[in-house]
């Protein structure tokens, strides 16, 4: 068997090509240092067909062997990565190896997000598979980034026949694990409660998650982890499959009849039905695979590094983001230019660096029911042109940001009255509304261009530093007026590419602009968006206690400095919960820090706290942005206290944060165990926040093994924070000497 293999710093990837050209998956995991084809076994398995080419050998069946890019049509009945129909409706293809080559550098994907790397940091592997009878060629692409232990994958499907073929299913990556008991961890939720980890054993049958909403969605996230049963935060084998895509997707895990586990991620295949004309190509989004043998913390940290260094782009990639205040929860639609300036005046005095004017500044947008699509400044409401408000903000020494929702239209808008055909509605059918709005057909260039012209004119009219780009409903009634025959999958993919094109045009026209993604909070929080927007509003739920869960779940795949997080008022607007100002502060600090309330309405003591929070955020930003993030508590087991920490890569310091959750009479004491320290070093432990704590001198071992006791004090949702710094000259070994 001919073997194709490549390595990253800590992992190996191997494939085998059989004599008949079938591409088998041999291995992905820690380096083994030997060929892995020995692991394949051949037995005659009833009802598992045999390719014609192997003659009377009934022991060779693609129904039981591990496959690299399994396609329906060659005897493999398990869930395929690829399936198609030819022009007469014949289902299936028999993909065989044709060629492969390694290239320097990392491939890109036209008009789509993809991991980037310097020429000497990465390699590309291309493997060409084809079935000339079915009329299809599939080029598998692999991006190898050794220093990040990352392998990216995408497939390019090309119609090489002279009639139209239809792609029914096209995953970006499929991964067969020959044996073992695996769990799949996925990140699910709902509007306001996104990305809560759920861990399920992969048993016989299939677990499948995904989105049919047109966005990656609040309900599921395009990221799964395949973890061995015993894997925890600190130990165990785990492999992540993350899709850099912001539209309909599917991720699945299936355990077959002989215990092989097949995992995959890529385009959603339900209703996909993607036609390809002769010569036409379809390129799948990119899947990013990372393997760790050292548990989920290590896996997360590797994803954080990969996304921060190889997905996020632009001038804001490594810069601390301005501490902002957003007016949404303070005013909703009910504001004037003066009101915005008054919020900014108070905020500026306390050290806030930017004000963001949220929804309601344009057209007739005084309620949710009107105005979307009319991106002209409501000068009456603002008391003058946008620049007059922005100049007043600038005079306060602050920057100015603006909210937009370009993909949407209200029926009550001039845009809709003029171009009703630009919205997705099916002729003769009453459309499904979401938040009383319709979705514009962003698969059409002229629609994207027209909205871009309107919005870019507004941005150019004033000194605008930041844009919050929102998307507030799930898509339905997809009907593109330019196509005679409707193909849902094709239009939805073109829609997502239209959204990417829109943001890319914004980036090009205004290169310094900081853009924050948003979709009703975290409904489009994915690596695809992070290629265009270096941060995403994590959730519409600003309740600090709920946010602990939401941000913890988000941290499995996404870096902390991409997570939009703000201090808001109490009782909280979404839950009615009352949480200390300090607690709201340290939760928001584990993200891109800001405020979402009117600071004129808080007490003088709280105003002092704002100053301290901002000073702390600036002080600890390097540690938050560049340190390793550790989830310290498990919500299932540690119900009394939540905790997390940031540890410097050189183990010289850490910032530990804790929040008490359940409060009961006569509570046991919670201990917060740090991670990421040097066990042999002595550390100074300085309380930053919280009652009843004193400075301590402790070893890394003590801090990581026993941890710090959280004082029992009356009241719910109290916060503690400690800054741990090493005393380099005074390490334990020296002491023993
Ligand atoms: C969405 C966003 C909010 C706010 C509103 C405005 O819900 O997530 O933060 O911008 O829209 O309509």
């Amino acid at each position: 068997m001919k073997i194709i293999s490549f390595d990253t710093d800590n992992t190996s990837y191997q494939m085998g090509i059989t004599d008949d050209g079938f591409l088998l998956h041999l291995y992905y995991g820690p380096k083994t240092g030997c060929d892995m084809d020995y692991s394949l076994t051949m037995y005659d398995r009833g009802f598992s067909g045999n390719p014609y080419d192997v003659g009377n050998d009934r022991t060779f069946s693609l129904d039981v062997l591990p496959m690299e890019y399994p396609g329906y049509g060659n005897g493999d009945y398990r869930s395929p990565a690829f399936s198609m129909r030819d022009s007469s409706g014949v289902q299936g293809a028999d993909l065989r190896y044709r060629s492969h080559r390694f290239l320097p550098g990392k491939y890109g994907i036209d008009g789509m997000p993809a991991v980037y790397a310097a020429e000497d940091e990465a390699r590309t592997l291309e493997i060409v598979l084809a079935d000339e009878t079915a009329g299809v060629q599939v080029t598998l692409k692999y991006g190898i980034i050794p220093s990040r232990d990352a392998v990216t994958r995408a497939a390019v499907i090309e119609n090489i026949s002279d009639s139209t073929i239809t792609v029914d299913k096209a995953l970006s990556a499929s991964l067969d694990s020959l044996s073992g008991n695996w769990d799949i961890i996925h990140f699910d939720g709902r509007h306001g409660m996104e990305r809560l980890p759920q861990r399920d054993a992969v048993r016989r049958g299939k677990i499948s998650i995904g989105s049919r909403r047109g966005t990656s969605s609040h309900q599921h996230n395009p990221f799964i982890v395949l973890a061995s049963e015993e894997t925890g935060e600190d130990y165990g084998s785990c492999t992540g499959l993350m899709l850099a895509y912001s539209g309909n997707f599917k991720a699945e895990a299936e355990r077959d009849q002989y215990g092989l586990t097949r995992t995959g991620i890529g385009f959603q295949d339900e209703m996909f039905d993607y036609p390809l004309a002769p010569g036409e190509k379809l390129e799948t989004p990119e899947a990013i695979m990372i393997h760790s043998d050292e548990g989920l913390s290590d896996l997360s940290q590797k994803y954080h590094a990969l996304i921060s260094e190889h997905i996020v782009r632009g001038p804001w990639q490594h810069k601390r983001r301005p501490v902002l205040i957003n007016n949404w929860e303070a005013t909703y639609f009910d504001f004037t230019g003066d009101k915005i300036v008054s919020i900014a005046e108070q905020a500026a005095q306390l050290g806030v660096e930017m004000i963001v004017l949220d929804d309601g500044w344009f057209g007739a947008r005084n309620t949710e029911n009107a105005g979307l699509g009319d991106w002209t400044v409501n000068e009456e409401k603002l008391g003058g042109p946008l620049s007059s408000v922005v100049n007043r903000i600038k005079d306060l020494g602050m920057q100015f940001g603006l909210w937009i929702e370009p993909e949407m239209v209200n029926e009550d808008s001039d845009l809709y009255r003029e171009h009703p055909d630009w919205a997705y509605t099916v002729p003769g059918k009453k459309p499904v509304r979401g938040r009383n709005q319709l979705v514009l057909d962003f698969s059409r260039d002229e629609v994207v261009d027209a909205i871009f012209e309107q919005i870019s004119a507004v941005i150019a009219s004033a000194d605008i530093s930041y844009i919050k780009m929102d998307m507030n409903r799930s898509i339905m009634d997809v009907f593109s007026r330019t196509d005679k025959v409707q193909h849902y999958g094709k239009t939805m993919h073109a829609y997502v590419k239209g959204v990417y094109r829109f943001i890319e045009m914004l980036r090009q026209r205004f290169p310094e602009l900081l853009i924050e993604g948003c979709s009703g909070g975290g409904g489009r929080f994915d690596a695809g968006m992070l290629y265009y927007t270096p941060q995403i509003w994590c959730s519409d739920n600003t309740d600090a206690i709920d946010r602990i869960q939401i941000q913890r779940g988000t941290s499995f795949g996404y870096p902390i400095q991409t997570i939009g997080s703000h201090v808001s008022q109490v009782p909280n607007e979404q839950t009615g919960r009352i949480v200390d100002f300090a607690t709201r502060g340290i939760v928001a600090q584990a993200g891109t820090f800001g405020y979402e309330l009117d600071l004129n309405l808080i007490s003088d003591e709280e105003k002092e706290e704002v100053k301290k929070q901002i000073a702390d955020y600036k002080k600890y930003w390097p540690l938050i942005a560049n340190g390793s993030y550790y989830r310290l508590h498990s919500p299932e087991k540690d119900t009394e206290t939540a905790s997390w920490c940031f540890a410097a890569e050189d183990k010289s310091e850490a910032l530990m944060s804790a929040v008490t959750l359940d409060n009961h009479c006569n509570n046991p004491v919670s201990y917060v165990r740090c991670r990421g320290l040097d066990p042999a070093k002595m550390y100074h432990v300085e309380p930053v926040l919280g009652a009843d704590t004193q400075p301590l001198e402790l070893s890394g071992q003590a801090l990581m093994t026993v941890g710090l006791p959280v004082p029992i004090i009356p009241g719910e949702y109290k916060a503690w924070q400690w800054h741990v710094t090493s005393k380099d000259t005074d390490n334990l070994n020296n002491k023993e000497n």
Side-chain angles (χ1 to χ4, degrees), residues 362-365 369-374 376 408-423 433 438 440 454:
F362 52 91
R365 184 77 172 164
N369 305 332
L372 287 172
D374 295 341
T376 44
M408 295 295 152
V409 67
N410 286 115
E411 288 147 275
D412 186 359
S413 69
D414 292 342
L415 186 92
Y416 186 78
R417 282 182 280 272
E418 204 176 318
H419 298 285
D421 60 310
W422 284 7
R433 286 174 170 171
L438 301 177
L440 289 173
Q454 280 198 56

Side-chain angles (χ1 to χ4, degrees), residues 444-513:
R444 287 168 65 179
D445 283 351
E446 69 272 31
V447 177
V448 174
D449 291 343
I451 298 294
F452 178 76
E453 282 318 314
Q454 280 198 56
I455 289 178
S456 56
V458 174
I459 298 175
S461 77
D463 191 353
I464 292 173
S465 309
Y466 159 109
I467 286 290
K468 174 176 171 188
M469 177 166 151
D470 213 337
M471 195 290 185
N472 275 319
R473 61 158 292 180
S474 303
I475 302 175
M476 176 97 1
D477 299 304
V478 174
F479 185 94
S480 196
R481 258 81 188 171
T482 50
D483 295 328
K484 279 203 203 78
V485 180
Q486 301 297 313
H487 295 285
Y488 172 82
K490 193 165 193 168
T491 306
M492 278 292 83
H493 182 45
Y495 176 95
V496 176
K497 289 177 89 168
V499 173
Y500 290 150
R501 193 170 74 82
F502 178 89
I503 316 177
E504 192 56 37
M505 289 195 294
L506 266 190
R507 295 182 72 253
Q508 300 300 330
R509 174 90 58 105
F510 307 100
E512 299 301 317
L513 205 59

Side-chain angles (χ1 to χ4, degrees), residues 158-219:
E158 184 178 356
N159 181 352
I160 54 168
S161 76
D162 50 17
S163 51
T164 297
I165 64 170
T166 303
V167 180
D168 295 316
K169 185 172 183 182
L171 296 184
S172 307
S174 177
L175 179 68
D176 281 0
S177 309
L178 209 47
S179 66
N181 294 320
W182 299 96
D183 292 341
I184 175 172
I185 307 173
H186 40 114
F187 303 90
D188 315 303
R190 54 190 185 272
H191 175 233
M193 277 314 273
E194 300 91 337
R195 290 173 299 285
L196 307 179
Q198 180 167 324
R199 186 166 180 158
D200 296 308
V202 184
R203 300 214 171 83
R204 294 268 146 68
K206 187 158 86 172
I207 296 177
S208 147
I209 59 139
S211 168
R212 292 174 219 89
R213 293 171 181 271
T215 55
S216 47
S217 88
H218 301 86
Q219 287 70 17

Side-chain angles (χ1 to χ4, degrees), residues 453-728:
E453 282 318 314
Q454 280 198 56
I455 289 178
S456 56
V458 174
I459 298 175
S461 77
D463 191 353
I464 292 173
S465 309
Y466 159 109
I467 286 290
K468 174 176 171 188
M469 177 166 151
D470 213 337
M471 195 290 185
N472 275 319
R473 61 158 292 180
S474 303
I475 302 175
M476 176 97 1
D477 299 304
V478 174
F479 185 94
S480 196
R481 258 81 188 171
T482 50
D483 295 328
K484 279 203 203 78
V485 180
Q486 301 297 313
H487 295 285
Y488 172 82
K490 193 165 193 168
T491 306
M492 278 292 83
H493 182 45
Y495 176 95
V496 176
K497 289 177 89 168
V499 173
Y500 290 150
R501 193 170 74 82
F502 178 89
I503 316 177
E504 192 56 37
M505 289 195 294
L506 266 190
R507 295 182 72 253
Q508 300 300 330
R509 174 90 58 105
F510 307 100
E512 299 301 317
L513 205 59
L514 170 60
I515 309 175
E516 176 153 358
C518 178
S519 174
R524 201 158 56 180
F525 201 120
D526 54 66
M529 266 301 148
L530 289 173
Y531 185 72
Y532 299 92
T533 70
Q535 61 194 57
I536 300 174
W537 182 227
C538 180
S539 177
D540 272 351
N541 184 348
T542 58
D543 176 305
I545 303 306
D546 280 354
R547 271 297 186 114
I548 289 174
Q549 283 190 62
I550 299 166
Q551 293 175 199
R552 179 182 180 276
T554 305
S555 80
F556 278 84
Y558 306 101
I560 303 307
Q561 68 272 32
T562 66
I563 298 177
S565 189
H566 300 165
V567 173
S568 63
Q569 67 205 31
V570 289
N572 179 267
E573 288 287 292
Q574 292 81 39
T575 62
R577 196 182 265 134
I578 296 177
V579 176
D580 284 1
F581 206 84
T583 306
R584 285 177 268 153
I586 64 163
V587 174
Q589 189 196 60
T592 66
F593 184 70
Y595 293 86
E596 185 111 4
L597 73 171
D598 186 348
L599 292 172
N600 290 301
L601 305 179
I602 62 173
S603 69
D604 288 345
E605 295 86 76
E606 286 173 334
K607 285 180 185 160
E608 289 309 308
E609 284 194 69
V610 171
K611 288 186 194 161
K612 179 170 161 33
Q613 286 174 349
I614 294 175
D616 281 351
Y617 186 63
K618 289 181 179 169
K619 176 174 171 191
Y620 297 120
W621 160 258
L623 194 52
I624 293 168
N626 308 319
S628 302
Y629 173 81
Y630 290 92
R631 296 171 289 269
L632 299 180
H633 83 292
S634 134
E636 297 81 38
K637 293 179 196 144
D638 308 311
T639 54
E640 276 140 9
T641 305
S643 52
W644 61 95
C645 79
F646 299 92
E649 214 180 324
D650 66 1
K651 300 180 190 292
S652 61
E653 60 171 327
L655 185 66
M656 299 167 65
S657 303
V659 174
T660 46
L661 302 173
D662 285 357
N663 202 20
H664 302 288
C665 168
N666 201 13
N667 245 7
V669 173
S670 298
Y671 287 79
V672 178
R673 288 179 198 85
C674 196
R675 309 233 322 268
L677 299 178
D678 181 344
K681 267 193 185 146
M682 286 301 291
Y683 291 86
H684 175 75
V685 181
E686 184 64 34
V688 181
L689 201 71
D692 288 355
T693 46
Q694 299 300 324
L696 291 165
E697 308 298 320
L698 294 172
S699 68
Q701 190 72 71
L703 281 161
M704 293 195 292
T705 310
V706 174
L708 297 172
V710 178
I712 300 178
I713 58 166
E716 277 181 317
Y717 313 130
K718 300 293 175 197
W720 282 268
Q721 193 163 54
W722 300 271
H723 187 210
V724 177
T725 45
S726 77
K727 303 176 71 195
D728 272 323

Side-chain angles (χ1 to χ4, degrees), residues 142-447:
Y142 299 76
I144 308 154
I145 303 104
S147 63
R148 304 284 171 199
D149 275 332
V151 177
T152 69
R153 290 180 56 179
V156 185
I157 297 145
E158 184 178 356
N159 181 352
I160 54 168
S161 76
D162 50 17
S163 51
T164 297
I165 64 170
T166 303
V167 180
D168 295 316
K169 185 172 183 182
L171 296 184
S172 307
S174 177
L175 179 68
D176 281 0
S177 309
L178 209 47
S179 66
N181 294 320
W182 299 96
D183 292 341
I184 175 172
I185 307 173
H186 40 114
F187 303 90
D188 315 303
R190 54 190 185 272
H191 175 233
M193 277 314 273
E194 300 91 337
R195 290 173 299 285
L196 307 179
Q198 180 167 324
R199 186 166 180 158
D200 296 308
V202 184
R203 300 214 171 83
R204 294 268 146 68
K206 187 158 86 172
I207 296 177
S208 147
I209 59 139
S211 168
R212 292 174 219 89
R213 293 171 181 271
T215 55
S216 47
S217 88
H218 301 86
Q219 287 70 17
H220 300 286
N221 193 262
F223 176 50
I224 57 169
V225 178
L226 189 69
S228 67
E229 307 184 284
E230 65 280 2
T231 292
E233 287 285 355
D234 291 319
Y235 56 88
S237 163
C238 43
T239 303
L241 280 84
M242 177 182 279
L243 198 66
Y245 191 56
S246 312
N248 292 340
F249 77 96
K250 181 178 231 181
E252 52 189 19
E254 177 183 44
R255 191 173 161 103
D256 82 0
Q257 53 185 336
Y258 301 110
L260 175 147
T261 297
R262 172 169 293 175
T263 327
I265 196 162
F267 278 127
Q268 170 64 273
D269 57 316
E270 288 174 38
M271 307 172 284
F272 188 54
D273 211 27
Y274 199 108
L276 283 182
E280 202 183 346
K281 289 182 187 173
L282 167 64
E283 193 149 14
T284 70
E286 178 160 283
I288 306 165
M289 298 169 59
I290 295 183
H291 174 84
S292 172
D293 243 33
E294 289 167 29
L296 297 166
S297 295
D298 185 56
L299 186 77
S300 294
Q301 288 162 10
K302 286 186 159 130
Y303 270 107
H304 295 179
L306 197 267
I307 291 175
S308 305
E309 302 300 327
H310 301 273
I311 287 275
V312 173
R313 302 174 295 160
W316 289 97
Q317 183 179 10
H318 297 296
K319 262 200 253 170
R320 183 180 67 73
R321 318 288 157 71
V323 174
L324 68 81
I325 186 158
N326 179 304
N327 74 302
W328 180 242
E329 288 194 14
T331 66
Y332 298 105
F333 293 106
D334 185 15
F335 59 84
T336 59
D338 288 344
K339 175 78 184 167
I340 297 303
V341 172
S342 91
I343 294 175
E345 272 165 353
Q346 177 62 77
Q349 280 172 26
L350 302 179
V352 177
E353 297 162 313
M354 179 163 77
I355 183 155
V356 175
L357 176 54
D358 210 280
D359 196 355
W361 57 265
F362 52 91
R365 184 77 172 164
N366 293 313
T367 69
E368 307 184 327
N369 305 332
L372 287 172
D374 295 341
W375 300 103
T376 44
V377 176
N378 184 340
E379 296 192 0
E380 204 182 314
K381 190 168 179 177
L382 291 185
L386 186 61
S387 58
S388 66
V389 178
V390 176
N391 292 341
R392 289 166 74 191
I393 300 294
K394 290 269 147 179
D395 289 345
L396 299 169
M398 287 178 108
Q399 294 173 294
F400 184 86
L402 202 60
W403 177 97
I404 58 171
E405 196 182 0
E407 298 150 77
M408 295 295 152
V409 67
N410 286 115
E411 288 147 275
D412 186 359
S413 69
D414 292 342
L415 186 92
Y416 186 78
R417 282 182 280 272
E418 204 176 318
H419 298 285
D421 60 310
W422 284 7
Y424 284 137
T425 53
V426 177
K429 173 181 184 279
K430 290 185 184 114
V432 174
R433 286 174 170 171
R435 210 189 188 205
N436 298 342
Q437 62 200 47
L438 301 177
V439 184
L440 289 173
D441 184 355
F442 259 44
S443 74
R444 287 168 65 179
D445 283 351
E446 69 272 31
V447 177

